[in-house]
Amino acid sequence: MSIAQNIEQITQTIQQLSQINQRLPNAVKLLAVSKTKPIPAIIEAIKAGQLAFGENYVQEGVEKIQYFIENYTSTDLPLEWHFIGPLQSNKTRLVAEYFDWVQTLDRIKIAQRLNAQRFEHLPPINVLIQINISDETSKSGISPDEMMLFAREIAQLPRLKLRGLMAIPKPEIDKQKQKIILLQMQQLFKQLQAEFPEIDTLSMGMSDDMQSAIECGSTMVRIGTAIFGSRMSPKTEAPKTGAK
């Protein structure tokens, strides 16, 4: 199937799952994970109505964002760019200058650098706290016990806007075990909302666990392979003629 057909099918699935689980219409947002995907594939997704994209690699993401800034106006094409990879200190300036969201915030040093480097003419950058909910040494994120203190520290930084939580749970074949972990994230999200009522985003769920994530309160699912197909090596070369 084409990228457009994939997006249509996933969108319908999200709507059906939302209805089954008595979620409000449009309660779950689709983030298209476009890392390693070439610009023509992103253009195809845009033509299908997709406007929010997730990138894991800073330089690759910035090159794509620059292409769309140069070839489209923000009014004609209000794209939303999410950084969803591990963020190193030496890359915070580029992220602060170009991205709209950072979903993987887990260190106060990174938060402080993003706050200092965000341009005044831009709105505050939206941030999510990454929770290492499965306690995996191979993954980034803070422990649940650290969440409230970290959230309060972020709330003191005026160029950041805390929007909620993000997690990449350990893959589970057993759906019940999977849901136990996802429900723990839902409880953390509610705990955070109790102190910060403006919190509105729980980013969890990918191609393999989207259904369970929506059942457990996710407000944003991050889908890559099911939209664009299998991974490709990074390639950001723009089309020879600027398709719009």
Side-chain angles (χ1 to χ4, degrees), residues 84-86 103-106 128-132 139-143 150 164-168:
I84 59 173
Q103 295 207 14
T104 51
L105 201 55
D106 64 356
L128 302 179
I129 297 172
Q130 182 174 357
I131 303 293
N132 189 348
K139 287 182 181 174
S140 302
I142 64 171
S143 69
F150 190 37
L165 302 176
M166 177 268 212
I168 309 172

Side-chain angles (χ1 to χ4, degrees), residues 1 18 35 37 40 54 66 70 87 121 162 167 170 185-187 195 207 209 225 243:
M1 292 200 301
S18 297
K35 64 177 182 180
K37 306 304 176 185
Q66 287 175 329
E70 293 167 3
L87 183 52
H121 72 272
L162 180 60
K170 181 180 178 181
M185 280 301 303
Q186 185 183 44
Q187 289 304 310
E195 183 163 335
S207 297
D209 62 350
T225 303

Side-chain angles (χ1 to χ4, degrees), residues 13 20 22 34 62 69 91 112 119 133 143 149 156 159 174 199 201 203-204 215 225:
T13 300
I20 291 170
Q22 299 182 326
S34 50
V62 168
I69 289 173
K91 298 293 179 67
Q112 291 168 338
F119 290 143
I133 193 63
S143 69
L149 178 59
Q156 301 303 310
R159 306 301 298 151
D174 187 320
I199 294 298
T201 303
S203 174
M204 65 181 188
E215 290 175 6
T225 303

